[in-house]
Amino acid sequence: MGIEHIVYGPVPSRRLGYSLGINNIPPKKCSYSCVYCQVGNTLDMRVERANFYKAEDVAQVVKERVRQLEERGEPIDYLTFVPDGEPTLDTNLGREIGLLKPLGIKIAVITNASLIWCEDIRHELRKADLVSLKVDAVSREVWRKINRPQESLKLEAILEGMLKFASIFRGELVTETMLIQGVNDSSGEIEKIASFLAELRPNTAYLAVPTRPPAKKTVAAASEPVVNMAHQIFSQRLSSVEYLIGYEGNAFAFTGRVEDDLLSITSVHPMREEAVIALLRKAGRDWGVIEKLVREGSLIELAYQGRKFYMRKLPRDNRNSQTLEAGD
Ligand code: SF4
């Protein structure tokens, strides 16, 4: 079989616009076996890097697809390494990024960061324009429970590696924290993650919940009140915090239709009651709009520290949602 299948998309993503996915790892080789993994259980748990495909072949397949898309006038905003496994397990990752650079399209890598303690990998990742790091837990027992890491990995070294990377990386650094009910969604762990992220200083910290069926059937997304709490806690320490909850609308393009605008804003972050009132007033509408959306089950009202918030209801079984992520 050829390796044409390693390129897929472009997939529309709120984070990256039109993203052409590069699956540079054969299924499913990973250093983690996250309970929520949406590409199933890890088949080959490993931390050793390998030469899965020739870097020139990967670059060739991507270039060919880019050429076809350009011919059809289709836009591509990012070339994204987002495989069915961990992209940094590919020894050729740095070389592939180097070979793709001349295309003049931004390059993103979505990594679980488990190998970022290794200096070589930090230098390879540095060549990308955007790097997303997974930060689901900063306490060892919670990390073991949620990410089920390969046994030789050390959380302290990974966290230190992330900080070192942040200090040398000049591109866009983002983080992703998946919130799983009863695993990493206690206020204590969320506070600790927020403290670590405050030190890391990502451009944006994303809060996610699984939007497709996870590896372990018993795994459930954190509830809306908890997701809202996490947003409030993160926002106290970080300048930009957004949800990735499976709605890929453009949250910042106002349509003028107040229902649509409310739903797209609240799928990115919760809105305080005062902000909702202001938006309704601007649109010349009354509170009946909110009552209707709550009644229909698309909007949800929450209380946190004596204030009222509105957020988009989380999708419960959104098998068709198009998110950027393969495994992550
Ligand atoms: S979610 Fe990502 S890091 Fe976790 S097991 Fe799946 S592919 Fe690996």
Side-chain angles (χ1 to χ4, degrees), residues 28-42 83-87 110-114 134 136 146-148 178 326-328:
K28 186 203 139 174
K29 299 177 188 298
C30 197
S31 45
Y32 281 176
S33 184
C34 304
V35 284
Y36 57 78
C37 185
Q38 295 161 358
V39 290
N41 283 316
T42 297
D84 294 344
E86 169 48 32
I110 313 292
T111 170
N112 68 18
S114 61
K134 185 188 290 300
D136 292 337
I146 190 162
N147 298 129
R148 300 188 293 180
M178 187 73 93
D328 296 272

Side-chain angles (χ1 to χ4, degrees), residues 87-143:
T88 60
L89 285 171
D90 174 6
T91 334
N92 300 322
L93 179 66
R95 205 169 138 59
E96 286 154 10
I97 297 174
L99 289 168
L100 293 172
K101 278 265 158 174
L103 287 173
I105 304 171
K106 285 199 237 167
I107 296 175
V109 182
I110 313 292
T111 170
N112 68 18
S114 61
L115 305 179
I116 205 160
W117 46 269
C118 168
E119 193 176 355
D120 290 353
I121 291 181
R122 291 199 294 274
H123 282 285
E124 289 177 35
L125 287 173
R126 204 182 165 182
K127 297 181 186 173
D129 299 283
L130 181 147
V131 173
S132 172
L133 306 176
K134 185 188 290 300
V135 187
D136 292 337
V138 295
S139 309
R140 211 177 308 152
E141 58 296 359
V142 181
W143 173 65

Side-chain angles (χ1 to χ4, degrees), residues 32-296:
Y32 281 176
S33 184
C34 304
V35 284
Y36 57 78
C37 185
Q38 295 161 358
V39 290
N41 283 316
T42 297
L43 303 171
D44 179 2
M45 175 76 105
R46 56 152 71 213
V47 289
E48 304 80 32
R49 307 184 82 193
N51 188 1
F52 300 112
Y53 306 105
K54 273 201 202 142
E56 289 71 17
D57 292 350
V58 170
Q60 191 47 43
V61 173
V62 175
K63 283 179 184 168
E64 179 53 25
R65 180 65 66 86
V66 168
R67 194 189 58 74
Q68 289 168 358
L69 290 164
E70 280 176 351
E71 254 176 37
R72 282 192 257 147
E74 289 191 39
I76 311 168
D77 299 307
Y78 270 97
L79 303 174
T80 308
F81 287 86
V82 54
D84 294 344
E86 169 48 32
T88 60
L89 285 171
D90 174 6
T91 334
N92 300 322
L93 179 66
R95 205 169 138 59
E96 286 154 10
I97 297 174
L99 289 168
L100 293 172
K101 278 265 158 174
L103 287 173
I105 304 171
K106 285 199 237 167
I107 296 175
V109 182
I110 313 292
T111 170
N112 68 18
S114 61
L115 305 179
I116 205 160
W117 46 269
C118 168
E119 193 176 355
D120 290 353
I121 291 181
R122 291 199 294 274
H123 282 285
E124 289 177 35
L125 287 173
R126 204 182 165 182
K127 297 181 186 173
D129 299 283
L130 181 147
V131 173
S132 172
L133 306 176
K134 185 188 290 300
V135 187
D136 292 337
V138 295
S139 309
R140 211 177 308 152
E141 58 296 359
V142 181
W143 173 65
R144 286 201 184 289
K145 232 168 135 181
I146 190 162
N147 298 129
R148 300 188 293 180
Q150 196 270 359
E151 57 187 15
S152 69
L153 290 169
K154 304 262 180 303
L155 178 64
E156 297 68 25
I158 294 170
L159 298 176
E160 204 186 304
M162 288 199 224
L163 293 172
K164 282 186 182 158
F165 178 66
S167 72
I168 58 162
F169 185 50
R170 297 288 157 260
E172 194 175 341
L173 183 69
V174 304
T175 57
E176 190 171 326
T177 302
M178 187 73 93
L179 292 171
I180 302 296
Q181 206 171 91
V183 181
N184 67 339
D185 70 341
S186 69
S187 58
E189 188 63 19
I190 292 169
E191 294 271 7
K192 284 188 208 159
I193 298 171
S195 299
F196 172 73
L197 295 181
E199 219 182 317
L200 191 73
R201 303 183 60 199
N203 295 78
T204 301
Y206 288 98
L207 286 165
V209 292
T211 54
R212 279 171 287 168
K216 251 184 111 185
K217 296 286 168 282
T218 49
V219 164
S223 64
E224 281 92 351
V226 169
V227 175
N228 178 48
M229 171 186 77
H231 194 283
Q232 307 308 325
I233 293 174
F234 274 28
S235 297
Q236 282 161 9
R237 317 287 296 265
L238 300 158
S239 56
S240 171
V241 184
E242 290 190 8
Y243 294 143
L244 275 183
I245 54 178
Y247 298 108
E248 287 298 315
N250 182 350
F252 305 103
F254 284 89
T255 61
R257 289 186 301 274
V258 76
E259 286 89 345
D260 293 347
D261 290 342
L262 277 162
L263 291 178
S264 55
I265 297 167
T266 54
S267 69
V268 179
H269 53 71
M271 275 179 95
R272 293 237 291 251
E273 189 181 24
E274 306 84 274
V276 173
I277 292 170
L279 187 75
L280 289 172
R281 193 174 300 139
K282 223 167 103 191
R285 303 285 296 276
D286 63 22
W287 197 254
V289 174
I290 304 302
E291 285 169 358
K292 177 171 165 277
L293 292 174
V294 170
R295 207 169 44 240
E296 286 170 359

